[in-house]
């Protein structure tokens, strides 16, 4: 005769261990988050599997991948924990709106040059949103299951994920007024004799060709992996940089940087906003995404350049 009794309700700590391990795809990272040991997480998972009579995780290399049963249970536990947390906050202070915590992974250059300085606006408009920011520097995105929202250079083409292009942008050349002041009568044709900052993910060649200048890559000058750090170096007068107009917007608007000429080329590095469909915090995610789009609209650069005349054509 089959035992029809439901399994005993496991300890809350075991359910939290399951949820964190499924989200991180790692017992070690779950242990760090919950201030437990790796063996404690393993013990909780084994106890759950014994209680339920089913396998919840499989090891794939260095990754602990939840089974279909484990993934479904972790998602339901995540939703239940969110509801419990909201209920506790509401009980502790009924006058205060419930706080929704969003784990957001964002490209470091976008965070440093654009997003962080706009967060006061988000707090004013949506004080219930509590962002936990994780900066990401690599082209390849991290595990999309580990965060609520990702803002990365590459799409996440996995079932059950939404992916939206955040910024339609172009690349311009910028420099500080202090640097240009060292070149009286500056024109775009003078640019090759100026210090030129180099970005590891974008050569100068395309911009130079579009500007009608010899498409010769600079052989000297610092090379940057982070576009935000390169912009700060341009502000400091270290050299001329190519930059996404959206990232350079605030520096241009404040006069810390000026645009060199009118040449612009398409950007090859989009920013994709990604989240899981059915996330229990999906309403908050949509509000955050709407705020992001509004900020992009308001920070599109429509400014002026140092000159409008074209540079001479390159020598044949």
């Amino acid at each position: 005769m089959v035992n029809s009794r439901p399994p005993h309700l496991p300890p809350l700590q075991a359910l939290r261990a399951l949820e964190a391990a499924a989200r991180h795809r790692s017992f070690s990272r779950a242990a760090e988050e919950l201030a437990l040991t790796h063996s404690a997480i393993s013990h909780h998972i084994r106890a759950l599997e014994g209680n339920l009579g089913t396998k919840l995780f499989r090891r794939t290399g260095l990754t602990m991948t939840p089974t279909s049963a484990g993934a479904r249970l972790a998602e339901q536990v995540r939703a239940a924990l969110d509801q419990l947390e909201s209920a506790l906050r509401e009980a502790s202070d009924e006058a205060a709106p419930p706080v929704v915590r969003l784990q957001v992974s964002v490209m470091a250059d976008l965070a440093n040059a654009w997003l962080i300085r706009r967060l006061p606006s988000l707090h004013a408009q949506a004080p219930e949103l509590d962002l936990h920011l994780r900066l990401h520097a690599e082209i390849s995105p991290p595990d999309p299951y580990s965060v609520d929202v990702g803002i990365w250079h590459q799409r996440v083409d996995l079932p059950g994920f939404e992916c939206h292009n955040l910024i339609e942008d172009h690349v311009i050349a910028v420099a500080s007024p202090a640097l240009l002041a060292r070149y009286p009568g500056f024109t775009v044709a003078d640019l090759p004799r100026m210090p030129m900052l180099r970005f590891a993910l974008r050569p100068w060649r395309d911009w130079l060709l579009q500007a009608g200048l010899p498409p010769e890559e600079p052989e000297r000058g610092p090379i940057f992996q982070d576009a935000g750090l390169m912009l700060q170096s341009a502000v400091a007068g270290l050299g001329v940089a190519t930059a996404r107009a959206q990232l350079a917007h605030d520096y241009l608007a404040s006069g810390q940087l000026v645009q060199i000429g009118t040449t612009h080329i398409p950007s090859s590095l989009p920013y994709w906003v990604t989240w899981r469909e059915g996330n229990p915090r999906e309403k908050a995610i949509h509000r955050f995404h709407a705020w992001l789009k509004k900020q992009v609209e308001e920070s599109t650069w429509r400014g002026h350049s140092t000159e409008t005349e074209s540079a001479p054509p390159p020598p044949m």
Side-chain angles (χ1 to χ4, degrees):
M1 181 177 179
V2 177
N3 187 353
S4 60
R5 290 187 306 165
H8 296 296
L9 185 64
L12 180 60
Q13 188 73 298
L15 295 175
R16 287 171 56 84
L18 166 71
E19 188 278 329
R23 176 159 39 86
H24 288 297
R25 278 8 186 211
S26 166
F27 286 7
S28 297
R29 290 173 62 187
E32 291 175 7
E33 178 181 316
L34 299 178
L36 298 173
T37 64
H38 184 283
S39 61
I41 297 294
S42 298
H43 174 76
H44 283 311
I45 300 303
R46 286 197 303 271
L48 281 174
E49 290 177 333
N51 189 27
L52 298 173
T54 187
K55 194 75 173 171
L56 298 176
F57 286 88
R58 291 191 179 89
R59 178 177 290 279
T60 308
L62 298 177
T63 301
M64 298 303 296
T65 304
T67 63
S68 58
R72 288 195 304 270
L73 180 57
E75 189 67 32
Q76 292 169 339
V77 168
R78 188 174 300 125
L81 289 174
D82 284 342
Q83 292 175 357
L84 179 59
E85 186 176 357
S86 297
L88 290 172
R89 284 202 176 101
E90 184 178 349
S92 64
D93 188 356
E94 294 185 359
V99 175
V100 181
R101 182 179 296 113
L102 291 181
Q103 299 281 346
V104 180
S105 172
V106 56
M107 298 304 300
D109 55 358
L110 185 68
N112 291 323
W114 187 85
L115 177 63
I116 290 174
R117 61 187 63 208
R118 286 168 172 77
L119 289 181
S121 164
L122 177 65
H123 180 70
Q125 296 177 33
E128 76 281 4
L129 295 186
D130 183 14
L131 301 189
H132 286 208
L133 295 179
R134 304 181 189 175
L135 301 192
H136 183 72
E138 304 299 326
I139 292 293
S140 299
D143 180 2
Y145 290 94
S146 65
V147 294
D148 295 304
V149 181
I151 309 175
W152 302 312
H153 280 322
Q154 285 190 356
R155 288 181 58 97
V156 173
D157 294 319
L158 292 173
F161 278 86
E162 289 200 36
C163 202
H164 302 269
N165 192 359
L166 179 63
I167 298 174
E168 295 290 343
D169 207 359
H170 56 271
V171 171
I172 59 176
V174 296
S176 71
L179 177 66
L180 294 180
R182 304 199 321 244
Y183 297 83
F186 168 83
T187 68
V188 173
D190 296 317
L191 190 147
R193 65 187 180 92
M194 300 174 71
M196 300 169 71
L197 307 182
R198 296 181 287 173
F199 184 35
L201 302 179
R202 180 176 55 243
W204 267 97
R205 174 183 173 83
D206 292 341
W207 190 94
L208 293 170
L209 274 174
Q210 187 68 23
L213 295 171
E216 298 175 1
E217 288 293 324
E219 297 181 355
R220 299 186 61 186
I223 300 175
F224 297 86
Q225 291 284 345
D226 185 296
L229 183 60
M230 184 172 65
L231 274 171
Q232 294 175 29
S233 299
V235 170
L238 191 60
V240 183
T242 57
R244 299 177 66 115
Q246 193 73 244
L247 294 191
H249 174 275
D250 294 351
Y251 299 115
L252 293 164
S254 67
Q256 293 175 281
L257 292 175
V258 294
Q259 182 178 348
I260 302 295
T262 58
T263 298
H264 57 86
I265 59 174
S267 171
S268 60
L269 292 172
Y271 291 103
W272 296 97
V273 184
T274 300
W275 65 85
R276 285 179 292 112
E277 298 173 352
N279 187 310
R281 292 169 287 280
E282 195 163 17
K283 183 177 179 180
I285 292 171
H286 282 291
R287 183 162 189 184
F288 177 54
H289 183 221
W291 174 82
L292 283 172
K293 291 192 297 182
K294 187 172 187 296
Q295 295 302 307
V296 169
E297 293 170 3
E298 293 178 352
S299 62
T300 299
W301 175 244
R302 301 180 179 89
H304 55 276
S305 63
T306 54
E307 65 172 4
T308 56
E309 66 185 48
S310 299
M316 299 299 290

